[in-house]
Amino acid sequence: MDRRHFFASGLAGLGAAVLAGKAGAMKFYPMPSEKKWAVLYATWCGSTRDAAAWISEGMAGIADVFDVRENPDLSGFDHVVIGGAIRMAAVSPELRAYLQKHRDVLKPRIAGLFAVCGNMGRPVGPEQKEILIDNHLAKLSGAALVPSHVFLGRVTKSLMDPETAQRMAAFDDYDNLKRPECMAFGAEVLSSVNP
Ligand SMILES: Cc1cc2nc3c(=O)[nH]c(=O)nc-3n(C[C@H](O)[C@H](O)[C@H](O)COP(=O)(O)O)c2cc1C
């Protein structure tokens, strides 16, 4: 479909789905663009979802945003940005499995990588990028050398399963995710493909 008509037809499709009683969870409708962009994310508690949406906003909203649990078919996209929340120094099992299964489709399309972590509230630096991007997400996805970023995220214990919330009982909730930082990364990724 012509991307210029995607926005309008997307809304029409949404209306039809609502009428048919098939409306699902929140869907992100991208702005029109020449190339098709997607941001794929994996989250437990939502900070990586927000980072993904804000990265797309930094790209003037042209990227569709997918939770990996939707199991999206990304073969029709020109460029894909991939990011995951970090627990125990790794992205979620769902993202790891998806990257392994769709490696051939994703590899030539990956234009950016990101991770969202706690890092004990400390600022992130080259060490976190090396551990979480170069030695983890880049290897899992097979990405070439592309722009990447590690963001500080959030802890919201009310969004965790009871066992995890119990494990985190000694820690206070925090929110270190910054929308301007996410948007700046989106702009960086876009300009790396369209200099
Ligand atoms: C059980 C658990 C384990 C975590 N493990 C790590 C870790 O190994 N390294 C790290 O930097 N942050 C860790 N974090 C912090 C998360 O990466 C951070 O809260 C992030 O924003 C979660 O993203 P999400 O809201 O998208 O799930 C952990 C958080 C939880 C609850």
Side-chain angles (χ1 to χ4, degrees), residues 20-92:
K22 287 184 190 157
M26 183 180 79
K27 178 88 175 71
F28 191 93
Y29 290 92
M31 298 293 283
S33 72
E34 291 294 328
K35 295 285 183 183
K36 285 189 72 175
W37 281 82
V39 182
L40 175 75
Y41 68 88
T43 183
W44 280 274
C45 292
S47 43
T48 310
R49 171 205 61 217
D50 293 348
W54 292 338
I55 287 166
S56 176
E57 287 183 11
M59 304 165 73
I62 61 171
D64 211 334
V65 181
F66 295 98
D67 188 318
V68 73
R69 291 169 292 191
E70 296 170 34
N71 192 27
D73 176 3
L74 298 179
S75 60
F77 287 82
D78 299 294
H79 307 293
V80 181
V81 182
I82 298 174
I86 300 296
R87 282 194 181 180
M88 305 305 159
V91 297
S92 73

Side-chain angles (χ1 to χ4, degrees), residues 42-49 84-90 116-120 132 151-156 160 164 167-168 174:
T43 183
W44 280 274
C45 292
S47 43
T48 310
R49 171 205 61 217
I86 300 296
R87 282 194 181 180
M88 305 305 159
V116 180
C117 71
N119 202 35
M120 304 294 277
L132 300 175
F151 299 96
L152 289 179
R154 295 194 294 258
V155 157
T156 313
M160 291 173 190
T164 308
R167 272 200 285 149
M168 299 294 286
Y174 58 75

Side-chain angles (χ1 to χ4, degrees), residues 76-172:
F77 287 82
D78 299 294
H79 307 293
V80 181
V81 182
I82 298 174
I86 300 296
R87 282 194 181 180
M88 305 305 159
V91 297
S92 73
E94 291 87 357
L95 183 57
R96 294 202 298 268
Y98 183 93
L99 294 177
Q100 191 174 23
K101 186 170 175 195
H102 300 285
R103 196 181 165 95
D104 292 346
V105 167
L106 294 172
K107 204 174 160 181
R109 293 174 168 80
I110 297 172
L113 296 172
F114 68 100
V116 180
C117 71
N119 202 35
M120 304 294 277
R122 291 190 291 263
V124 294
E127 190 190 347
Q128 284 70 41
K129 208 164 174 172
E130 188 181 342
I131 294 169
L132 300 175
I133 303 287
D134 303 345
N135 291 336
H136 185 52
L137 205 43
K139 287 191 174 157
L140 286 172
S141 62
L145 199 58
V146 292
S148 62
H149 201 92
V150 179
F151 299 96
L152 289 179
R154 295 194 294 258
V155 157
T156 313
K157 279 179 285 187
S158 62
L159 296 176
M160 291 173 190
D161 64 88
E163 193 192 320
T164 308
Q166 181 66 34
R167 272 200 285 149
M168 299 294 286
F171 299 94
D172 289 330

